[in-house]
Amino acid sequence: MLTKRINTLSESITIAVTALAQELKAQGKDIISFSAGEPDFGTPQVIKDAAIKAINDNFTKYTAVDGIPALKQAVCDKLKRENGLDYALNQVIVNNGAKHSLFNLMQATIEEGDEVIIPAPFWVTYPELVLYSGGTPVEIMTDDASGFKITPEQLTAAITPKTKMLILTTPSNPTGAVYSKDELIAIGKVLEGTDILVASDEMYEKLVYVGEFTSAASISDDMFKRTITINGLSKSVAMTGWRFGYMAAADSKLIQATKKLQSQSTSNINSITQMAAIPGLDGSADADIEMMRIAFKQRRDVAVKMFNEIDGLSVLSPDGAFYLFVNIKEVSNDSLEFCKRLLEESEVAVVPGVGFGSEGYFRFSFATSMENIEKGIKRIEAFVKNYK
Ligand code: PMP
Ligand code: GLU
């Protein structure tokens, strides 16, 4: 009954572990979950007020498929002001979350025979979307030793005549690695003279603790032309449930192609979310964003210190995002088994590294209270001590 295409897809492991933890909690178990990839903060008031106003104004009808002009203008203004990127209205489209942007992008650009280079560890969704488009994911493995970043040499070695796209995620989910401007320039040099596209996933842009964030498209004209910039508001202003993401590309034909797909699938994104997103983009929520960033940084520092004091575990301090990618290789090389037992025996939920393409690690989200972090890591310590 089912197509080969749908059978290539696996369920998102990050969502699956989060759902399992919620289910066990509902059964009365004392689960502490570090699986969720979403801020524990509420959406800033200025955004909620804009949504309430939209409802009261009856802004509740279909809109333009690619987003209302005022919202697309807010996206363009944000990209110009904060990222130094000049996009016109026909070069941007808003989607139902950045996951949807990536889905549409892959459907529009990747087909049978195309290779897509994905640095590993990677966010679980990338290889799935590539496979669903008929393409072939090509992984470049990174580890703690390289700070979980690819080198220009690795990229050169991975490129073949079939390479269609490189996916770059900075800051990274699941490692928190942030590419510096110089590192992006070096990557850009490797791509010069090729037709390779770059999908730059900048979802965690606002969560940088060390150094500065640089947009891949901003480093040169050549990179601007080949890069599709993808971002959203899920993480920066705690809007995961609202479903808002966007992409921007120099090639307006690409954006218009994804608009065609959107017009025949989801149509416009929720009209109320569109109004709410504007203050999320125009600087009105900047104080809330900074408050959350500082809280995440404090949690990061506590969690990193606690993990590195546990015999057998080690972790790099991430420069961005809200995840630790904890090395468990001295304890286990089976992250699925490790995480399953951690949940069953110690009631702590984390996501196995194997889901992100890297065995011997787990992902720990510190987007939860300091109290949970301290209590949870103590449980992990006791679990590791007795792990056989
Ligand atoms: N990119 C990365 C790296 C992510 O971690 C996420 C989080 N879920 C997304 C994209 C998609 O986010 P959303 O669909 O909520 O905009
Ligand atoms: N991106 C988040 C995560 O990595 C949310 C879940 C998902 O969309 O996969 O946990």
Side-chain angles (χ1 to χ4, degrees):
M1 179 180 97
L2 298 175
T3 60
K4 271 194 234 142
R5 199 169 62 246
I6 199 74
N7 282 331
T8 63
L9 267 187
S10 313
E11 202 186 337
S12 164
I13 190 170
T14 48
I15 292 180
V17 175
T18 306
L20 177 63
Q22 274 163 358
E23 201 180 301
L24 293 171
K25 226 175 176 163
Q27 289 168 14
K29 298 231 162 80
D30 177 28
I31 304 288
I32 309 180
S33 182
F34 302 102
S35 57
E38 65 181 346
D40 53 321
F41 296 98
T43 305
Q45 193 59 45
V46 59
I47 293 172
K48 293 195 279 197
D49 288 344
I52 292 163
K53 183 170 184 315
I55 295 173
N56 288 333
D57 290 349
N58 288 315
F59 194 73
T60 50
K61 309 283 195 234
Y62 290 133
T63 75
V65 165
D66 51 344
I68 56 172
L71 174 58
K72 291 204 318 169
Q73 190 61 54
V75 169
C76 292
D77 292 348
K78 180 261 178 239
L79 289 168
K80 174 80 181 148
R81 190 179 69 247
E82 298 185 346
N83 308 94
L85 300 173
D86 255 311
Y87 292 109
L89 287 189
N90 66 350
Q91 293 171 311
V92 303
I93 183 165
V94 303
N95 313 105
N96 290 287
K99 190 182 274 184
H100 186 216
S101 309
L102 285 157
F103 177 86
N104 285 355
L105 173 64
M106 297 299 169
Q107 290 297 315
T109 58
I110 305 302
E111 60 194 339
E112 217 79 20
D114 289 339
E115 292 180 355
V116 177
I117 297 176
I118 308 177
F122 44 72
W123 180 42
V124 293
T125 294
Y126 302 139
E128 300 296 329
L129 294 185
V130 171
L131 288 168
Y132 193 69
S133 302
T136 307
V138 174
E139 293 172 22
I140 300 181
M141 193 48 77
T142 70
D143 59 18
D144 334 38
S146 59
F148 295 113
K149 292 189 233 184
I150 59 165
T151 62
E153 293 73 27
Q154 281 181 302
L155 179 57
T156 305
I159 292 173
T160 76
K162 292 181 178 165
T163 307
K164 183 77 187 272
M165 181 185 281
L166 162 69
I167 301 181
L168 270 183
T169 318
T170 179
S172 153
N173 173 8
T175 68
V178 179
Y179 284 88
S180 70
K181 187 170 182 183
D182 286 346
E183 287 164 342
L184 290 173
I185 289 172
I187 287 172
K189 286 243 161 68
V190 173
L191 300 176
E192 270 172 28
T194 73
D195 293 328
I196 299 170
L197 301 171
V198 176
S200 180
D201 183 338
E202 308 186 351
M203 182 51 79
Y204 296 91
E205 169 196 14
K206 296 286 181 183
L207 297 173
V208 172
Y209 314 113
V210 179
E212 268 186 18
F213 173 79
T214 307
S215 277
S218 73
I219 61 163
S220 66
D221 273 353
D222 183 72
M223 274 295 266
F224 182 73
K225 285 188 193 124
R226 68 175 74 250
T227 299
I228 300 98
T229 302
I230 295 147
N231 207 333
L233 291 172
S234 285
K235 320 289 165 159
S236 61
V237 282
M239 284 183 76
T240 46
W242 297 70
R243 310 314 297 136
F244 170 80
Y246 59 88
M247 65 179 149
D251 182 357
S252 62
K253 286 206 290 296
L254 166 55
I255 295 299
Q256 298 315 309
T258 65
K259 179 179 171 186
K260 202 163 59 175
L261 174 59
Q262 190 152 307
S263 82
Q264 297 291 15
S265 50
T266 59
S267 294
N268 62 272
I269 78 163
N270 180 308
S271 59
I272 297 150
T273 293
Q274 293 192 52
M275 280 300 186
I278 294 173
L281 292 161
D282 70 7
S284 307
D286 278 1
D288 301 272
I289 293 171
E290 185 57 5
M291 176 277 290
M292 290 188 263
R293 192 189 70 85
I294 288 169
F296 285 132
K297 185 169 187 291
Q298 286 166 347
R299 296 166 185 185
R300 175 198 74 149
D301 293 344
V302 168
V304 166
K305 184 165 178 293
M306 286 183 77
F307 272 119
N308 281 327
E309 282 167 5
I310 300 176
D311 246 4
L313 301 189
S314 65
V315 69
L316 289 183
S317 182
D319 289 346
F322 44 56
Y323 307 105
L324 304 184
F325 206 54
V326 182
N327 186 322
I328 58 168
K329 288 179 189 167
E330 279 185 30
V331 182
S332 167
N333 261 318
D334 185 343
S335 58
L336 208 56
E337 167 77 9
F338 181 94
C339 294
K340 194 164 165 276
R341 281 187 50 194
L342 180 64
L343 183 59
E344 286 166 359
E345 295 168 26
S346 300
E347 304 192 319
V348 170
V350 294
V351 187
V354 69
F356 304 94
S358 287
E359 191 46 284
Y361 298 87
F362 65 75
R363 188 189 79 173
F364 176 96
S365 163
F366 52 87
T368 186
S369 70
M370 196 69 103
E371 190 193 341
N372 274 348
I373 289 169
E374 287 174 349
K375 202 164 130 194
I377 300 177
K378 279 190 193 134
R379 283 195 199 174
I380 295 172
E381 181 171 20
F383 174 78
V384 167
K385 214 177 249 169
N386 300 314
Y387 194 82
K388 278 183 207 82

